[in-house]
Amino acid sequence: MADKKTALVISAHAADFVWRCGGAIALHQELGYEVTVACLSFGERGESAKLWKQDGMTLDTVKKVRQEEAQAAADALGVNDIRFLDLGDYPLRLDRDAQDQMVDIIREVQPEWMMSHSKWDPYNTDHMNTTQFALECRMIAQAWGHNPGQKVLGAPQMYLFEPHQTEQMAWKPNVFLDITSVWEKKRAAIECMQGQEHLWDFYTNVAENRGNHFRRNSGGMAGGRKAEYAEGFEMIFPQTVDELA
Ligand SMILES: [Zn+2]
């Protein structure tokens, strides 16, 4: 167990991890990582419009459908473990209890890297509040004085995945990940999100465009590495290296 590499994705709503880092999840599962996804809510109020347009819809039914979709998407990506914290959405209720729950998960998983939303999202404060929450929980998990006796967290990188309407979010990628080899898994996961069919092709286009940026940045005019699909991420913390590349 000590040799297992792990990663933790903290997603505000049930579908966010699918569009924004489904490729990273599927790829790292194939690389032998155990990826845990923590969905803080189902996106039941704010990201389920198609369901709410049906007659007689109830909150419990929306939550149930969204959980089933997210679970199916997680299965398509090979996610090791998905946790639904059911904290409510629009707005998310990120209180002290939620914080304690998340710190426990972080310490249990001991991730090599973590992932969450952009720092700024004026369209959807649940997203940016989740990032702030994730950073706070990471900090608490590192504190020797928090629940003494538990294994404290090291210093996992925090990657911020690509938001919607990228240019409005003060988000600037400094890592491109080639997800071509797992693209079929990501597209299959995307198609599990039946309530948001209007986004399927949009996020296929995003992956193709980021594939272009991968090629440009991996070799430019000299001939970059062929990548058809990629995902972009912004790193929060500096990398520590032995050799510059
Ligand atoms: Zn969301």
Side-chain angles (χ1 to χ4, degrees):
M1 175 165 169
D3 295 336
K4 265 288 176 202
K5 286 190 168 184
T6 56
L8 176 63
V9 176
I10 302 177
S11 180
H13 311 110
D16 292 320
F17 71 93
V18 179
W19 322 110
R20 318 197 180 290
C21 61
I25 293 170
L27 185 69
H28 284 81
Q29 282 288 152
E30 287 192 2
L31 290 171
Y33 283 69
E34 289 184 348
V35 181
T36 296
V37 177
C39 289
L40 302 187
S41 76
F42 302 103
E44 62 270 23
R45 283 158 39 106
E47 297 185 0
S48 305
K50 192 174 167 187
L51 289 166
W52 282 113
K53 288 173 187 169
Q54 295 173 23
D55 288 339
M57 190 51 67
T58 66
L59 192 66
D60 282 346
T61 302
V62 173
K63 284 165 73 167
K64 183 168 171 287
V65 172
R66 293 285 288 175
Q67 179 168 354
E68 286 168 0
E69 287 182 355
Q71 183 66 58
D75 291 345
L77 297 171
V79 166
N80 184 66
D81 187 15
I82 184 164
R83 313 273 180 103
F84 297 101
L85 278 71
D86 195 11
L87 300 175
D89 72 325
Y90 287 66
L92 269 173
R93 304 207 183 284
L94 302 174
D95 57 16
R96 193 61 189 255
D97 285 346
Q99 205 176 59
D100 286 344
Q101 265 190 80
M102 182 52 66
V103 173
D104 283 348
I105 292 172
I106 293 171
R107 284 193 166 177
E108 179 194 330
V109 173
Q110 294 287 331
E112 314 289 324
W113 51 260
M114 297 172 66
M115 199 171 265
S116 199
H117 295 257
S118 55
K119 280 180 284 190
W120 174 243
D121 187 341
Y123 298 89
N124 195 323
T125 55
D126 282 0
H127 291 162
M128 64 185 196
N129 291 343
T130 293
T131 313
Q132 186 64 32
F133 174 74
L135 287 169
E136 276 175 12
C137 292
R138 178 186 182 275
M139 175 190 78
I140 297 165
Q142 291 176 322
W144 283 82
H146 176 81
N147 290 342
Q150 285 183 349
K151 186 180 178 191
V152 298
L153 181 70
Q157 181 59 261
M158 176 70 84
Y159 293 98
L160 307 184
F161 46 60
E162 182 157 4
H164 204 61
Q165 303 191 78
T166 307
E167 295 80 356
Q168 309 300 324
M169 308 295 187
W171 177 89
K172 190 172 174 181
N174 46 26
V175 179
F176 290 112
L177 179 69
D178 182 356
I179 60 163
T180 309
S181 64
V182 292
W183 171 252
E184 293 306 324
K185 287 186 181 179
K186 177 164 182 176
R187 178 70 197 199
I190 283 174
E191 291 185 12
C192 291
M193 309 319 293
Q194 290 288 329
Q196 291 164 295
E197 196 176 345
H198 59 292
L199 294 176
W200 294 4
D201 287 343
F202 179 88
Y203 280 103
T204 299
N205 293 339
V206 169
E208 287 169 346
N209 290 338
R210 294 308 181 193
N212 183 296
H213 295 160
F214 185 103
R215 295 193 293 276
R216 183 71 179 83
N217 285 281
S218 63
M221 304 294 183
R225 223 181 74 195
K226 193 173 180 312
E228 281 181 66
Y229 301 96
E231 287 173 341
F233 302 99
E234 180 179 345
M235 288 190 297
I236 292 269
F237 300 103
Q239 286 186 306
T240 50
V241 300
D242 294 315
E243 182 180 351
L244 297 177

